[in-house]
């Protein structure tokens, strides 16, 4: 997980994130990492177009996007 956080932070590239909040609701986010702390990450949420904070413990999955928007098959 940390290597994908670093990939997003250093390259300012989006990553996919699946998160569970304190109420047990699961959400999918496309984010760019802004800051990494021990307990949480500060991200820019591309869908909501705002900065948000997510607890590391609530992050279920992190991945590079399967396909970039507008990308053509090679």
């Amino acid at each position: 997980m940390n290597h994908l956080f670093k990939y997003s932070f250093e390259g300012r590239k989006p990553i996919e994130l699946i998160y569970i909040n304190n109420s047990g609701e699961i959400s999918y986010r496309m984010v760019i990492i802004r800051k990494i702390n021990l307990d949480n990450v500060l991200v820019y949420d591309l869908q909501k177009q705002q900065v948000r904070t997510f607890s590391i413990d609530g992050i279920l999955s992190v991945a590079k996007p399967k396909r970039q928007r507008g990308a053509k098959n090679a």
Side-chain angles (χ1 to χ4, degrees), residues 12-73:
R12 299 190 187 272
K13 296 184 180 185
I15 56 174
E16 297 176 349
L17 186 138
I18 298 176
Y19 183 79
I20 186 166
N21 66 17
N22 291 335
S23 301
E25 298 170 353
I26 296 174
S27 63
Y28 164 87
R29 308 293 176 110
M30 183 72 73
V31 302
I32 297 174
I33 302 293
R34 293 280 181 94
K35 187 174 183 181
I36 307 165
N37 296 313
L38 290 176
D39 298 328
N40 56 50
V41 290
L42 184 71
V43 305
Y44 180 75
D45 186 320
L46 295 172
Q47 182 179 0
K48 294 189 180 284
Q49 296 186 357
Q50 60 182 299
V51 175
R52 304 187 49 97
T53 302
F54 293 108
S55 167
I56 297 285
D57 292 339
I59 298 173
L60 302 176
S61 175
V62 178
K64 287 184 182 179
K66 291 177 179 53
R67 185 173 174 187
Q68 298 289 331
R69 278 191 174 166
K72 294 182 180 179
N73 293 337

